[in-house]
Amino acid sequence: MASFTNSFVVFSIISLLACSINAQLSPNFYASTCPNVQNIVRVEMVQSVIRKPRMGASILRLFFHDCFVNGCDASMLLDDTATFTGEKNALPNQNSVRGFEVIDTIKTRVEAACNATVSCADILALAARDGVVLLGGPSWTVPLGRRDARTANQSAANNELPAPFANLSALISGFAAKGLNADDMTALSGSHTIGQAQCFTFRSRIYNDTNIDPNFAATRRSTCPVSGGNSNLAPLDIQTMNKFDNNYYQNLMTQRGLLHSDQELFNGGSQDALVRAYSANNALFFRNFAAAMVKMSNISPLTGTDGEIRSNCRVVN
């Protein structure tokens, strides 16, 4: 694992972007009210990733799925109850999203240090950044000051999260609806350099797509049969599943993207040149990924007196 201390390099351009993109959010939001919050989050993420390296990818995905539904408001963390329908059982999330217990543990530690001060939404944003860094990826300055939603939107989770079967135009449109352009999308897709996917999400690709390396397809078919085995896992990056790097883009150039939506980024379309650039220049990918993460983390935050600061991330106060 790369040195955590050495990896936490903050690019000045990212710091400026974090400060300016949403005037109501600030990296220093908790400087006087909970000055140790980032260290608390970091310590817990170190332990979580040491125990399960996959957890870095899981928390990153959890943050992405939160931000794409009604903004980065921790609605993704809310449990279903007899009178409340959350987002956890939406089709893209059911039996798929992970890491809730890690956020619970961090929240408990933060509450002990700074009661009723730090939102679950901000904890998730910090944890996602730290997970990337722990797996060798870039750092960025996280703008803070989000508040937690009192509601969730399962319908939006079913309809607005990008599908693994989507084509390039659908991907571009879906990201544009969230204020993210095609270049942001291609950089953020690089998060698939870590983590795994279930068989049902890539079955059609390995059996039906023609723009796929035949040896790669055969390897994936060995654990993803034509029928059954829906939850069998395969790494999104066949080279370095638990290392955050630019191998994802190199895989695309050799037609070894696991998901149909992955390979759409390098299939004779508008993003081919950027995929080539990232495959050859890891530093460029890291810079653009960090900037895109800051931009995504600023999707429709609740601030001021909107929402609340949950005491338990799973339920509204």
Side-chain angles (χ1 to χ4, degrees):
M1 183 181 295
S3 167
F4 189 80
T5 301
N6 291 338
S7 294
F8 250 83
V9 177
V10 179
F11 299 104
S12 60
I13 187 171
I14 305 303
S15 301
L16 290 171
L17 182 58
C19 292
S20 64
I21 194 166
N22 189 312
Q24 292 182 292
L25 299 183
S26 165
N28 301 314
F29 188 84
Y30 299 111
S32 60
T33 58
C34 195
N36 203 35
V37 60
Q38 298 207 36
N39 186 57
I40 296 170
V41 174
R42 187 177 307 132
V43 167
E44 291 302 324
M45 283 301 296
V46 168
Q47 295 304 312
S48 294
V49 173
I50 287 174
R51 285 192 300 267
K52 296 180 180 178
R54 184 186 171 200
M55 194 53 66
S58 297
I59 297 295
L60 179 59
R61 183 168 183 259
L62 192 58
F63 184 52
F64 178 88
H65 280 220
D66 182 49
C67 290
F68 256 60
V69 179
N70 289 8
C72 307
D73 61 2
S75 59
M76 178 72 243
L77 304 179
L78 291 169
D79 285 342
D80 286 2
T81 70
T83 58
F84 181 87
T85 300
E87 297 163 14
K88 291 182 179 179
N89 286 309
L91 291 176
N93 298 329
Q94 194 174 43
N95 300 317
S96 174
V97 287
R98 306 166 67 247
F100 299 108
E101 71 285 352
V102 174
I103 301 302
D104 291 341
T105 299
I106 296 172
K107 178 63 171 175
T108 298
R109 302 283 189 271
V110 171
E111 285 295 302
C114 322
N115 183 56
T117 302
V118 181
S119 68
C120 299
D122 278 345
I123 288 172
L124 182 54
L126 289 167
R129 187 270 311 274
D130 291 356
V132 168
V133 172
L134 283 164
L135 295 178
S139 183
W140 57 92
T141 300
V142 178
L144 300 167
R146 300 168 193 78
R147 288 168 63 84
D148 299 322
R150 296 189 179 98
T151 61
N153 192 334
Q154 187 178 100
S155 176
N158 279 322
N159 294 295
E160 296 178 15
L161 288 166
F165 323 105
N167 62 27
L168 183 60
S169 62
L171 291 169
I172 291 173
S173 297
F175 277 74
K178 306 301 176 183
L180 301 168
N181 62 37
D183 289 356
D184 296 327
M185 175 198 69
T186 299
L188 291 170
S189 295
S191 62
H192 286 181
T193 184
I194 52 176
Q196 301 180 79
Q198 297 184 61
C199 169
F200 79 92
T201 65
F202 60 86
R203 177 181 285 119
S204 177
R205 168 147 174 77
I206 63 176
Y207 286 101
N208 299 324
D209 284 5
T210 57
N211 61 340
I212 187 169
D213 176 84
N215 292 327
F216 174 71
T219 298
R220 294 281 69 91
R221 289 171 185 166
S222 68
T223 56
C224 182
V226 174
S227 62
N230 281 354
S231 61
N232 292 354
L233 296 172
L236 287 158
D237 175 357
I238 195 172
Q239 298 188 72
T240 51
M241 177 177 69
N242 291 321
K243 182 181 179 183
F244 198 99
D245 54 29
N246 65 339
N247 283 346
Y248 167 79
Y249 300 102
Q250 296 172 12
N251 294 335
L252 298 185
M253 291 185 64
T254 55
Q255 298 190 322
R256 294 188 297 169
L258 182 64
L259 306 179
H260 179 85
S261 56
D262 287 331
Q263 197 59 56
E264 281 289 290
L265 301 182
F266 191 80
N267 193 36
S270 62
Q271 299 306 293
D272 282 18
L274 194 52
V275 169
R276 286 194 188 93
Y278 290 159
S279 72
N281 190 333
N282 193 63
L284 175 65
F285 163 50
F286 275 22
R287 285 196 302 272
N288 289 359
F289 179 83
M293 283 297 296
V294 172
K295 191 172 177 181
M296 186 185 78
S297 75
N298 282 277
I299 297 175
S300 305
L302 297 173
T303 58
T305 57
D306 292 336
E308 63 183 16
I309 304 298
R310 282 183 222 144
S311 57
N312 178 342
C313 291
R314 294 176 180 262
V315 296
V316 297
N317 292 341

